[in-house]
Amino acid sequence: MELISRENPARITEIVGRVPATGADGVDAAVRRAGRAQREWAARPIGDRIAVLRQAGETVTGRAGELAGLLARESGKPLADCRGEISFALTYLRWVCDHAPRVLAPAEIDDAAGRLVVRRAPYGVVACLTPWNAPVILAMVKLAPALAAGNTVVLKPSPLAPLAVGEVAAALPGVEVVHGGAPAGRALVTHPLIRKVAFTGGDRAGREIAAAAGAMLTPSVMELGGNDPALFLPDFALTDDDYERLVMASFATSGQVCMAAKRLYVPRARLAEFTEAYRAAAERVLVVGDPLAAGVTMGPVISAPAADRVRGLVAGSVARGGTAVPLGRAHGDLESGYFVTPTLVTGLDDDAPLVAEEQFGPAVPLLPYDTEEEALARANAGELGLAASVWSADEDRAFALATRLEAGFVFVNTHNRTGMSLRAPFGGVKRSGYGREYGEEGLLEYVQSAVAHAPAAFRGGGDGMPATAYPA
């Protein structure tokens, strides 16, 4: 049996765990098991399904500390962040349990026009393919609504972080887990019994998965990358706490977050002031080191190729005239893993790869602007449109600009996870994907409308209509 080994990116000589690679036959067997279970699961009243999900959440809660440690070791995220991720995943599961019975309830109209019943019917078996950067929550935002709606799920986590999410998935009803890279994903997405695909990840993999699903006429949800701008209007008024929150909006999870603040646009007249305050905040809150060490707020990146890519972006920026400003403090030995110094880069034009591309790592460009319209045009440049933020002392002014940004989610006076809300649908525009997670829209992604209709003309006492007639 082929095994997938997962190393600790902070101590690369340590193997955290291994999972069996799933071949095409194994994927087929998992999908068929999920298909057999789905009919029985969907036939249960939604109240029963919710009760089972709540109990599963309690089971995971009882293991939260253990799972957080496992997640920290396999992903390189600080232990406190891993505790937060698991807690947030469970909070979202409870939110789904609280809201699904109302959102997914059938609607019935019985009036002079006839009787109409619209049910929220599950798709069947859902394929969920999830990344390594927040594996538990990015799986839960698919698993919880899919299961509540009466689907079953085959989950394929990233081979770079398969361990903790596999343990969480094992506690949930109706979930099969398969492991592997692109071949396993392709076998899963193209399986004829898969009725919906949900994917979070990069643009290249997203295109391949969407194409494969499209060839099967399988609908999909795609939450892809972003190159998120943060726009600071001339009246911005940031406290020390605001600057600290802003720093972490770029460097949490070592910058490996799709909705991280990846481009900072600041009025030229306030650039020096902003730079000094930002560097001071980073010195206070950015501590780079082993994720299990107390006080560490940033660990390594996920792999050697990721580290090489980010270092290459910074070196390329310097080669074209930019200035690299190291940020934060080091804690302990940083030679044992894939550590990259968090860096603010100044002096770049908009064509620099660090500006024009999603860096997905601990390096962020600081970009001055002269007019608000100029900043808006530069922020909207490019094919990605996941998230953005506007910072202003005037909330109405910020909201007015937010409506003009080409992004699926615009934060106001914050950015990244501190700006999220369980009730707010999240997803991208342009090449950042389609479909939504969170909010009622996130629940409705996993059902399709199924209608029963008796027109008044054909009910008792109705007048009927000619066979060639159109409805009135």
Side-chain angles (χ1 to χ4, degrees), residues 309-396:
R309 183 178 52 78
V310 177
R311 292 186 187 117
L313 283 170
V314 173
S317 298
V318 172
R320 60 191 296 151
T323 300
V325 182
L327 300 173
R329 294 169 283 137
H331 179 280
D333 176 22
L334 301 188
E335 299 299 319
S336 60
Y338 305 126
F339 292 95
V340 177
T341 301
T343 305
L344 182 71
V345 181
T346 62
L348 295 180
D349 56 44
D350 288 357
D351 293 330
L354 186 65
V355 179
E357 302 172 7
E358 180 184 22
Q359 66 270 41
F360 215 71
V364 64
L366 176 59
L367 306 159
Y369 72 87
D370 295 303
T371 70
E372 187 174 314
E373 290 300 315
E374 170 209 338
L376 179 67
R378 292 167 65 191
N380 284 339
E383 293 192 328
L384 301 180
L386 184 60
S389 62
V390 181
W391 303 68
S392 172
D394 183 338
E395 186 176 278
D396 290 339

Side-chain angles (χ1 to χ4, degrees), residues 45-395:
I46 190 170
D48 289 358
R49 296 198 299 266
I50 293 302
V52 174
L53 290 173
R54 289 190 189 277
Q55 183 56 52
E58 290 303 313
T59 299
V60 175
T61 298
R63 299 183 59 198
E66 167 200 349
L67 294 172
L70 180 60
L71 180 57
R73 290 168 61 218
E74 68 174 325
S75 71
K77 291 172 59 169
L79 183 58
D81 283 359
C82 294
R83 293 192 187 106
E85 177 176 338
I86 292 170
S87 176
F88 183 53
L90 293 168
T91 297
Y92 178 70
L93 175 61
R94 289 189 290 269
W95 188 93
V96 167
C97 290
D98 290 342
H99 291 81
R102 173 184 58 82
V103 175
L104 303 180
E108 182 169 356
I109 301 172
D110 193 342
D111 58 16
R115 184 178 180 186
L116 173 66
V117 177
V118 181
R119 293 184 299 110
R120 304 296 192 181
Y123 281 92
V125 182
V126 177
C128 295
L129 299 94
T130 55
W132 46 262
N133 58 335
V136 176
I137 184 56
L138 291 177
M140 190 64 80
V141 295
K142 300 164 181 58
L143 297 174
L147 294 170
N151 305 280
T152 53
V153 177
V154 181
L155 171 69
K156 193 200 82 64
S158 167
L160 293 175
L163 303 175
V165 68
E167 294 291 320
V168 172
L172 297 173
V175 181
E176 297 281 341
V177 180
V178 298
H179 293 287
R186 192 175 304 111
L188 178 58
V189 171
T190 59
H191 196 287
L193 294 184
I194 292 297
R195 297 290 181 252
K196 181 127 190 188
V197 172
F199 172 76
T200 298
D203 173 77
R204 179 179 301 176
R207 289 174 187 266
E208 294 177 1
I209 290 168
M216 301 295 293
L217 295 179
T218 304
S220 58
V221 178
M222 293 280 151
E223 200 268 272
L224 306 178
N227 191 12
D228 298 6
L231 274 68
F232 298 85
L233 297 185
D235 67 344
F236 75 85
L238 273 62
T239 65
D240 286 349
D241 287 346
D242 293 330
Y243 274 107
E244 292 173 9
R245 187 158 32 88
L246 172 61
V247 167
M248 294 311 299
S250 290
F251 294 102
T253 315
S254 303
Q256 302 167 120
V257 178
C258 59
M259 60 180 177
K262 297 187 175 81
R263 294 177 285 159
L264 310 179
Y265 291 93
V266 176
R268 193 178 304 275
R270 301 189 65 184
L271 187 64
E273 163 202 348
F274 180 96
T275 304
E276 181 179 353
Y278 189 92
R279 289 182 63 180
E283 185 70 17
R284 294 192 298 272
V285 300
L286 271 185
V287 181
V288 184
D290 190 300
L292 299 179
V296 165
T297 59
M298 194 187 109
V301 296
I302 194 67
S303 66
D308 291 343
R309 183 178 52 78
V310 177
R311 292 186 187 117
L313 283 170
V314 173
S317 298
V318 172
R320 60 191 296 151
T323 300
V325 182
L327 300 173
R329 294 169 283 137
H331 179 280
D333 176 22
L334 301 188
E335 299 299 319
S336 60
Y338 305 126
F339 292 95
V340 177
T341 301
T343 305
L344 182 71
V345 181
T346 62
L348 295 180
D349 56 44
D350 288 357
D351 293 330
L354 186 65
V355 179
E357 302 172 7
E358 180 184 22
Q359 66 270 41
F360 215 71
V364 64
L366 176 59
L367 306 159
Y369 72 87
D370 295 303
T371 70
E372 187 174 314
E373 290 300 315
E374 170 209 338
L376 179 67
R378 292 167 65 191
N380 284 339
E383 293 192 328
L384 301 180
L386 184 60
S389 62
V390 181
W391 303 68
S392 172
D394 183 338
E395 186 176 278

